[in-house]
Amino acid sequence: MTIQEFDTPDIAFMERCVSLARSGVARGEYPFAAVISRRGQFVCEAHNRVRCDGDVTRHAEMVALSEAQRTLNTTSLDDCTLYSTVEPCAMCAYAIRESRVGRVISGLRSPVMGGYSRWDILVDRGLSSRLPEVFSNPPEIQLGCLHEEVREAFRGRHPLIWRAIEARKIFTAETDGAHSRSGRAGSGINLKDRAMSWARTVILDRFWRA
């Protein structure tokens, strides 16, 4: 998959994500950033706030997920897409699954810490099959979007550290083409999935998340 095979709106949101990551660098953060859209419309964005807040849980994805739930007044983000400069880590991946994000698009792959490449949380069907009242089907995953731009953002933050990151393969670019994997069965959402999504949001969430 080449950059031309990513949809134009997805590229635009990833460009916004990379730009936001660079603004985070100006505040002393590493260039991790996340943008969330819903049905093609911008919802919210966040860069890493680990250094700013002195809190290791303040990853860009976690901050953005919290903001999206407040903005949309729901804990179910099944019709949302999350864009991130780097594949979400295991912590963020679990939050993505519990908030039911429908799609995840990232620039760089994370073979050491990634919630997809290393830990397989993002596409683990065991969560949704054992606890369908809480977890929806795994999101669609696309890696490699604007990966060169993301690499440049990291390289610009600290060239020597980035050299070490590349040498140890902590973050890698999909140089042989972007990787895509759908955790959702079929090409669309079937009637059973729609019914379960409705039941989770309208009925079950009132008991589980009230």
Side-chain angles (χ1 to χ4, degrees):
M1 180 179 293
T2 65
I3 188 172
Q4 288 78 17
E5 291 174 299
F6 284 97
D7 292 338
T8 300
D10 290 333
I11 294 173
F13 280 121
M14 270 301 293
E15 288 174 340
R16 181 170 186 149
C17 193
V18 174
S19 177
L20 180 64
R22 292 194 174 107
S23 73
V25 169
R27 294 174 173 83
E29 299 285 351
Y30 280 93
F32 297 98
V35 172
I36 294 178
S37 71
R38 185 188 196 192
R39 300 171 190 161
Q41 300 296 313
F42 172 80
V43 175
C44 64
E45 62 186 12
H47 61 68
N48 240 40
R49 296 197 57 85
V50 171
R51 285 173 176 254
C52 293
D53 296 348
D55 182 345
V56 297
T57 70
R58 298 285 280 169
H59 288 195
E61 297 93 333
M62 300 290 281
V63 179
L65 288 169
S66 294
E67 182 62 28
Q69 290 172 88
R70 284 193 295 268
T71 299
L72 299 174
N73 194 32
T74 179
T75 58
S76 190
L77 306 178
D78 55 293
D79 52 358
C80 292
T81 299
L82 183 144
Y83 304 85
S84 60
T85 50
V86 177
E87 173 190 341
C89 71
M91 173 180 70
C92 297
Y94 186 86
I96 287 168
R97 289 301 307 275
E98 190 158 353
S99 60
R100 307 165 187 159
V101 171
R103 297 170 70 223
V104 176
I105 297 178
S106 300
L108 296 178
R109 192 164 64 90
S110 180
V112 175
M113 299 174 288
Y116 166 67
S117 297
R118 174 70 185 275
W119 302 109
D120 210 32
I121 296 168
L122 286 177
V123 291
D124 180 6
R125 287 191 168 275
L127 291 172
S128 49
S129 64
R130 295 289 294 273
L131 277 173
E133 62 272 26
V134 177
F135 299 96
S136 64
N137 287 331
E140 177 185 348
I141 311 296
Q142 288 181 277
L143 304 178
C145 188
L146 301 187
H147 60 82
E148 286 298 336
E149 287 84 347
V150 177
R151 288 177 71 186
E152 284 302 315
F154 273 90
R155 187 180 293 114
R157 170 66 169 79
H158 201 302
L160 290 178
I161 290 179
W162 175 247
R163 188 177 298 177
I165 288 172
E166 281 197 311
R168 296 164 67 187
K169 299 186 184 302
I170 295 172
F171 302 140
T172 64
E174 297 289 337
T175 54
D176 57 347
H179 186 81
S180 177
R181 176 174 172 183
S182 177
R184 312 245 163 180
S187 58
I189 300 177
N190 60 37
L191 187 59
K192 180 181 177 181
D193 288 337
R194 289 181 182 275
M196 194 64 226
S197 178
W198 178 86
R200 271 191 296 263
T201 304
V202 177
I203 300 174
L204 296 171
D205 282 357
R206 295 186 178 181
F207 297 96
W208 284 83
R209 299 182 174 182

